[in-house]
Amino acid sequence: MAVSLRDDRTGGAVDHFLALLQDRLPLWLRILHDLSHLVGKGRVNDNLLPITRAGIDYYAEIQSAALPAFTSPSVTVRFREAIRDNGLGPLAETAPLAAYLAAEQRLGRVNGEADPEASARLLLAGCFRHAYNEMVFGADAGPTRDVSAEEIVRELRLEPGRS
């Protein structure tokens, strides 16, 4: 993936972003896939808290490097193609999280009316939003990452009998 984006480029923001992405993305995806080992264990909200905090950390790091890398439309197009060619689109993040929520729902540990796919997207969107706000407005302009992670998980209202 990195080679296809580095064509005609040497160093700079694109290389920094790609190096960071290649280092952090596999770990982030592994964290999401490891949720499958928690099905039926502990409280669902408690299981999601470290995932949400890791998501905030991941997006905060990636976003700060992505902005300067995407100053060229050709880089953006090549990035989209590389992501698509490597099967790393948005589903790479939502699928394992939605699968975890669906498995917990089958066990009755997630509200039966919750949509696992939508809940996964909302959790990730909350992580992204916190990271974005922190980058734009500063870390002291809103809740801490830990407090924000708790709010994101609580506001999903996933656990049965908790509204």
Side-chain angles (χ1 to χ4, degrees):
M1 182 171 101
V3 172
S4 66
L5 291 175
R6 282 194 206 138
D7 293 346
D8 305 323
R9 303 272 313 201
T10 55
V14 172
D15 283 341
H16 173 71
F17 171 67
L18 290 173
L20 188 61
L21 189 63
Q22 287 178 319
D23 182 60
R24 302 304 193 275
L25 183 59
L27 174 61
W28 172 230
L29 293 177
R30 190 169 347 143
I31 288 168
L32 291 170
H33 283 280
D34 284 349
L35 269 171
S36 65
H37 301 295
L38 297 176
V39 173
K41 300 175 185 166
R43 286 187 53 228
V44 172
N45 282 3
D46 291 342
N47 293 342
L48 291 174
L49 278 174
I51 303 307
T52 306
R53 175 56 199 267
I56 291 170
D57 293 344
Y58 169 76
Y59 289 124
E61 204 166 11
I62 293 302
Q63 283 183 52
S64 64
L67 286 177
F70 288 103
T71 58
S72 159
S74 66
V75 169
T76 302
V77 169
R78 290 195 325 244
F79 178 77
R80 288 177 186 157
E81 291 169 351
I83 288 291
R84 185 177 42 251
D85 293 347
N86 287 280
L88 294 173
L91 286 179
E93 292 178 299
T94 57
L97 186 51
Y100 166 74
L101 294 172
E104 291 287 22
Q105 192 174 48
R106 285 189 296 276
L107 295 175
R109 293 165 38 90
V110 165
N111 182 339
E113 295 180 16
D115 179 334
E117 181 71 27
S119 297
R121 287 192 310 265
L122 287 170
L123 185 144
L124 295 172
C127 295
F128 188 89
R129 180 181 172 272
H130 178 90
Y132 177 82
N133 285 344
E134 191 176 284
M135 179 180 64
V136 172
F137 303 111
D140 59 344
T144 66
R145 290 180 181 185
D146 288 333
V147 169
S148 190
E150 290 172 12
E151 289 173 352
I152 291 165
V153 171
R154 184 182 62 249
E155 290 168 0
L156 289 174
R157 294 185 172 101
L158 292 170
E159 292 185 341
R162 297 185 187 264
S163 329

